[in-house]
Amino acid sequence: MEAIFNYFETIPSLHRSLILVGGLTLFWLLEGTLPLFNFTYKKWSHALPNLFFTFTTIIVNFGLAFLLLATANWVEQNNFGIINWIPNLPLWAYILLGVLLLDFFGAYLAHYVEHKVKPLWMVHLVHHTDHNVDTTTANRHHPLESLIRFTFTLFGVFIVGAPIALVFLYQSLSLIATQFTHANIKLPKKLDTIISYVLVSPDMHKVHHHYMLPYTDSNYGNIFSIYDRLFGTFMTLDRESIIYGVDTFPDEVANGKIGELLKQPFHKYRHPTSSKPVER
């Protein structure tokens, strides 16, 4: 455990890039052999805007990384934050609790707020207007959302008291988790259900991408499903009934154009409507 912790404290940028590319490649290949839905899209054409937003996310995070590093160093040097205030924590518990709490502040809370605050929902909308959710959808975030998410992550690092090793470990796990849960793969239903008791499973997250309420406003978790279960935001929907997108932005062609997606947050506020499940 100590060796892993030390590795992430000085993880090279190349290795972090390999985690991103390796995860995308793995799940991209699995989508071809274990597809949940047999999409008729041109896969590379669909991936282009999503990869563009992956690139902008990298730029935003890289440009602001000095704030993350400074905050992580400060909390470590000043013994500040939740995990530093608990005495005699063994390393495994320190890491587990740190990852759990970072996942709450940096992911679940950020995601929940984006759905509940109107202007933030319009920014987050870019992620939801993908009509063919696959592993490339994982990082389909408007640059403004990358800034919002970074702010929540920074807040989480400060409150949790996470050193940079823990931050990099969490971000690596988060990256793989979100690629996995967005991937167009079909696990055996029982296995998917078992996974969802602790971790966010593919079927669980796909419910969140259903195009109408109340399902759009559910299953906010990133790595762990426990927060959705604890705060009553967990919902299920049969996988065959899921339809992707947002009903107030139904134009699939426009939702696949980078220029249109960059302008999407500045449209008049719209939110999905409520409806009974629709058969696919």
Side-chain angles (χ1 to χ4, degrees):
M1 185 64 75
E2 186 175 354
I4 295 174
F5 193 74
N6 291 337
Y7 166 74
F8 278 98
E9 188 170 23
T10 57
I11 182 173
S13 297
L14 175 60
H15 292 192
R16 300 185 73 193
S17 300
L18 289 174
I19 292 172
L20 169 64
V21 175
L24 276 175
T25 303
L26 172 64
F27 294 119
W28 180 286
L29 294 173
L30 287 176
E31 288 175 340
T33 56
L34 299 168
L36 174 59
F37 297 123
N38 292 309
F39 294 137
T40 58
Y41 66 176
K42 294 180 179 179
K43 199 160 185 176
W44 273 108
S45 296
H46 167 262
L48 182 61
N50 296 349
L51 294 176
F52 169 81
F53 287 113
T54 298
F55 183 64
T56 60
T57 298
I58 292 171
I59 291 176
V60 169
N61 288 334
F62 183 77
L64 297 174
F66 71 98
L67 292 174
L68 201 63
L69 182 60
T71 303
N73 287 341
W74 186 88
V75 296
E76 185 176 22
Q77 291 167 6
N78 292 275
N79 202 38
F80 183 87
I82 297 171
I83 59 176
N84 296 314
W85 295 333
I86 302 174
N88 303 318
L89 265 181
L91 182 60
W92 68 267
Y94 180 86
I95 292 174
L96 178 59
L97 182 59
V99 170
L100 275 165
L101 291 174
L102 285 175
D103 200 45
F104 173 74
F105 289 107
Y108 179 89
L109 183 61
H111 202 176
Y112 179 87
V113 171
E114 285 178 330
H115 276 251
K116 299 304 179 183
V117 178
K118 293 179 181 180
L120 299 189
W121 163 250
M122 292 303 296
V123 174
H124 181 53
L125 186 68
V126 170
H127 183 67
H128 277 267
T129 52
D130 194 335
H131 296 257
N132 299 284
V133 173
D134 65 14
T135 193
T136 67
T137 310
N139 294 302
R140 176 182 159 124
H141 297 295
H142 194 280
L144 290 175
E145 179 171 10
S146 297
L147 288 171
I148 294 165
R149 293 279 181 137
F150 182 88
T151 301
F152 274 91
T153 297
L154 200 65
F155 174 71
V157 170
F158 180 73
I159 294 298
V160 176
I164 199 63
L166 192 58
V167 175
F168 285 158
L169 172 60
Y170 169 71
Q171 289 183 333
S172 299
L173 293 173
S174 175
L175 181 60
I176 296 298
T178 193
Q179 290 173 344
F180 170 60
T181 57
H182 286 86
N184 181 41
I185 56 176
K186 179 167 62 176
L187 300 180
K189 286 189 177 183
K190 286 186 178 180
L191 175 59
D192 195 285
T193 299
I194 291 171
I195 291 173
S196 72
Y197 284 118
V198 178
L199 304 175
V200 178
S201 68
D203 280 6
M204 175 184 167
H205 190 70
K206 299 304 193 307
V207 173
H208 178 77
H209 278 273
H210 185 60
Y211 80 123
M212 282 188 171
L213 292 173
Y215 302 102
T216 309
D217 285 353
S218 70
N219 299 0
Y220 299 109
N222 181 39
I223 297 177
F224 300 101
S225 63
I226 56 175
Y227 298 117
D228 284 298
R229 294 181 179 276
L230 183 62
F231 297 116
T233 53
F234 178 81
M235 293 191 72
T236 61
L237 176 65
D238 189 78
R239 57 171 60 152
E240 283 77 22
S241 298
I242 294 172
I243 298 176
Y244 298 133
V246 179
D247 64 338
T248 51
F249 282 82
D251 190 337
E252 186 171 351
V253 174
N255 292 336
K257 294 181 177 179
I258 294 172
E260 292 296 322
L261 291 171
L262 286 170
K263 295 185 293 184
Q264 219 165 53
F266 308 104
H267 285 262
K268 185 178 178 181
Y269 168 73
R270 304 179 191 179
H271 201 278
T273 57
S274 300
S275 175
K276 294 180 180 180
V278 177
E279 294 297 327
R280 187 177 181 84

